Amino acid sequence: MEAKRFYIRTFGCQMNEYDSRLLTDLLISSGWTPTSRAEEAVLVVFNTCSVRHKAETRVYGHLSGVASLKRLNPEVRVAVVGCMAQRLGEGLLDRFPLIDLVLGTEEIFSLPEILESEDLRERVKLKLSGRDFGELATKLAPFSAEALASFVAITRGCDNFCSYCIVPYLRGPLRCRPHPQILKEVEALVTRGAKQITLIGQNVDSYFDGEIDFPDLLERVCSLPGLQRVRFTTSHPKDFGEKLLEKMANLPQLCEHLHLPLQSGSNQILGRMNRNYTVEEYVQKVEGARERIPGLCITTDLIVGFPGERETDFERTLEAVRKVGFDASFTFRYSPREGTAAASFDDDVPEAVKIGRLNRLIAFQRGISEKRNRELAGTVQEILVEGHSRRQQDRWKGKSRGGKTVLFSADRESLLGKLCRVRITSCTSKTLFGEGVS
Ligand code: SAH
Ligand code: SF4
Ligand code: F3S
């Protein structure tokens, strides 16, 4: 019998990448074979994102493309899963009748079962609570191909309700996985070759499983043998605290990188975003963190054009970026999301102004990133090697402990998966260049 092939395309954040890995493992254990070519597949899965309008239009583009696959082979099944499925439900079927299944952020894992039963009458499943797939995840890990770096979700959902954000509506309330389950999953991944684990959650600092909190969880993860690097994302400035800093300073596996979304440099805007901290508190926390952890890299998320953002508010964002000196920032144009608190605010910043501010912010950040990178010239950095540079095959590529991409030359044959010491010689705003030192 010919192998049943499936193709998964993942949009959105690390949580979606994680869910796609679990779904891949589940499908493989149910007899399916993965393919990276949609044309070969009899099952096409889109794991989708709704965080901004643009994230959804990208998926629409891909869905139109799948129509031709289905014309060639009517046996092909198309499943749209994840956040956009959760948000639009039936509406997706109305717009794209070619879709066979719409499964929300928690129902996604019932896909193999539904396909097995061949009962496609109930085509939309959106329940946010019910079955717990966390335990299953601990048993699945050995199926996938070896991966050097893996994500492990420690929570699902979010209770923060930042006023612009759709995530709590699509992923449900905060649920924390019991820590023994997380440790088991990390161990399984290390056994299959993982050198680095990134613990993920919408707000990892809010982790508490009834027994231990996030800093304690980090300590337990770091004590597992064979693990070389541990990272985590995302922290929330209102919750990020002293105990976590202490662990970062003392646990050698824990990398010197902190992703701490600021969102805006204006207190008035932060208040309307329901972020529950001021810029002053934010700056104080990162300054404290820099003092405690030498070489700490700090990255952030920033939104421009939030309702009511005046030029002076935007300038405060630039000022905060200058003051903190972020190593990098992910910058977004505000996109109203139906059902969120901010969607009822007047979206009063004209699109052209949003674009103008975004471009200014990007250019400003680029200068600061370059300056931060230049400061590393002459230093020796520890790099986890992920492969070759795409453009220059004789150069190795990897990440520093701070999370920066580093390209370097070295004599040794295979460095894949190795930790290497690299002397930094030059840089751009995005990349460091160097030479291996033995
Ligand atoms: N839980 C994480 C990730 C949230 S989504 C966190 O709290 O950081 C990632 C980023 O998308 C957010 O930090 C925010 O900067 C951005 N974002 C979320 N909703 C948005 C919206 N409606 N418009 C523009 N950017 C948005
Ligand atoms: Fe959204 Fe805020 Fe939760 Fe992050 S912390 S997922 S931005 S509501
Ligand atoms: Fe997008 Fe859902 Fe992640 S909306 S950012 S994929 S949680």
Side-chain angles (χ1 to χ4, degrees):
M1 200 181 80
E2 208 186 318
K4 298 181 295 180
R5 292 188 195 279
F6 70 97
Y7 167 85
I8 299 188
R9 172 119 195 182
T10 308
F11 302 84
C13 66
Q14 291 107 327
M15 197 55 83
N16 264 15
E17 276 185 46
Y18 174 77
D19 285 351
S20 287
R21 168 169 77 75
L22 290 194
L23 183 60
T24 298
D25 287 338
L26 267 174
L27 284 165
I28 293 173
S29 62
S30 319
W32 289 84
T33 305
T35 171
S36 55
R37 292 158 47 94
E39 319 80 79
E40 284 179 0
V42 290
L43 170 64
V44 176
V45 184
F46 290 117
N47 191 4
T48 57
C49 173
S50 276
V51 79
R52 286 169 290 276
H53 179 69
K54 215 165 91 186
E56 294 194 343
T57 46
R58 282 185 64 207
V59 175
Y60 286 139
H62 282 85
L63 278 171
S64 310
V66 167
S68 60
L69 290 183
K70 214 157 167 164
R71 265 196 303 274
L72 287 171
N73 180 4
E75 303 273 282
V76 170
R77 294 275 170 263
V78 178
V80 178
V81 303
C83 291
M84 192 173 161
Q86 189 72 43
R87 192 174 91 78
L88 296 170
E90 286 280 341
L92 270 172
L93 293 182
D94 298 340
R95 186 156 173 183
F96 287 94
L98 69 95
I99 299 173
D100 297 284
L101 280 166
V102 177
L103 304 176
T105 50
E106 295 297 305
E107 289 286 358
I108 161 174
F109 303 116
S110 41
L111 179 62
E113 235 168 67
I114 298 173
L115 293 167
E116 195 116 328
S117 73
E118 290 181 10
D119 179 5
L120 298 185
R121 274 170 307 179
E122 198 192 337
R123 289 162 72 195
V124 182
K125 287 185 177 237
L126 305 175
K127 239 189 11 230
L128 271 178
S129 58
R131 269 185 299 177
D132 177 5
F133 285 87
E135 190 56 37
L136 198 62
T138 65
K139 303 189 181 95
L140 283 169
F143 289 110
S144 288
E146 182 175 295
L148 270 178
S150 283
F151 296 121
V152 171
I154 62 166
T155 63
R156 294 187 79 83
C158 182
D159 287 341
N160 284 118
F161 290 94
C162 303
S163 65
Y164 50 81
C165 184
I166 190 88
V167 172
Y169 303 89
L170 303 181
R171 292 213 164 245
L174 175 74
R175 282 142 293 155
C176 300
R177 291 177 72 187
H179 70 275
Q181 205 182 75
I182 297 169
L183 296 175
K184 240 202 265 173
E185 187 173 345
V186 173
E187 271 180 325
L189 289 163
V190 172
T191 308
R192 106 182 180 203
K195 301 273 193 283
Q196 172 180 296
I197 293 293
T198 305
L199 302 179
I200 60 168
Q202 304 301 343
N203 171 2
V204 288
D205 307 287
S206 59
Y207 179 87
F208 184 66
D209 71 347
E211 225 176 289
I212 66 170
D213 63 7
F214 182 56
D216 290 337
L217 175 68
L218 278 174
E219 184 156 3
R220 304 226 183 160
V221 170
C222 287
S223 71
L224 295 173
L227 197 51
Q228 292 181 332
R229 282 183 171 184
V230 177
R231 298 183 183 281
F232 58 88
T233 197
T234 305
S235 280
H236 195 301
K238 77 176 162 64
D239 301 319
F240 173 78
E242 191 51 35
K243 189 170 170 189
L244 177 55
L245 271 184
E246 189 195 306
K247 301 291 179 204
M248 288 183 84
N250 295 323
L251 295 168
Q253 296 90 338
L254 209 50
C255 290
E256 293 79 16
H257 177 201
L258 180 62
H259 182 65
L260 197 62
L262 171 63
Q263 310 299 1
S264 169
S266 153
N267 287 337
Q268 188 241 339
I269 298 293
L270 284 174
R272 282 157 53 86
M273 286 178 162
N274 192 28
R275 291 289 289 177
N276 291 303
Y277 55 83
T278 61
V279 184
E280 292 75 21
E281 285 162 349
Y282 183 99
V283 171
Q284 203 183 358
K285 280 195 181 178
V286 294
E287 279 174 357
R290 281 227 171 94
E291 264 168 41
R292 295 283 297 278
I293 299 148
L296 181 68
C297 291
I298 301 176
T299 55
T300 200
D301 291 350
L302 297 163
I303 297 175
V304 300
F306 187 78
E309 185 188 71
R310 296 156 302 174
E311 179 62 21
T312 49
D313 295 306
F314 174 66
E315 279 163 11
R316 289 194 175 111
T317 298
L318 292 179
E319 177 55 19
V321 168
R322 189 195 60 73
K323 209 173 200 167
V324 175
F326 292 112
D327 289 273
S329 58
F330 299 89
T331 48
F332 308 104
R333 240 190 302 161
Y334 171 67
S335 166
R337 308 312 286 139
E338 205 184 319
T340 61
S344 64
F345 304 166
D346 186 12
D347 186 16
D348 56 356
V349 182
E351 227 32 51
V353 175
K354 285 185 190 167
I355 294 172
R357 287 180 188 164
L358 186 68
N359 289 338
R360 279 162 67 199
L361 180 57
I362 291 171
F364 192 65
Q365 177 63 57
R366 192 180 299 132
I368 289 172
S369 299
E370 203 179 322
K371 182 166 158 273
R372 294 278 302 160
N373 287 350
R374 268 204 310 269
E375 285 164 12
L376 296 176
T379 64
V380 173
Q381 300 283 322
E382 179 202 275
I383 310 302
L384 176 61
V385 182
E386 293 166 356
H388 286 286
S389 152
R390 235 181 314 147
R391 278 192 227 132
Q392 294 158 293
Q393 283 294 313
D394 58 335
R395 282 204 195 182
W396 293 98
K397 180 179 169 182
K399 287 262 165 40
S400 71
R401 291 178 62 92
K404 299 189 186 225
T405 300
V406 181
L407 298 181
F408 68 101
S409 43
D411 302 333
R412 292 252 311 277
E413 250 164 41
S414 182
L415 295 177
L416 190 65
K418 300 249 161 44
L419 288 177
C420 291
R421 283 156 48 79
V422 173
R423 187 178 307 282
I424 305 304
T425 49
S426 62
C427 70
T428 64
S429 62
K430 288 216 163 72
T431 313
L432 300 173
F433 302 95
E435 268 150 29
V437 290
S438 42

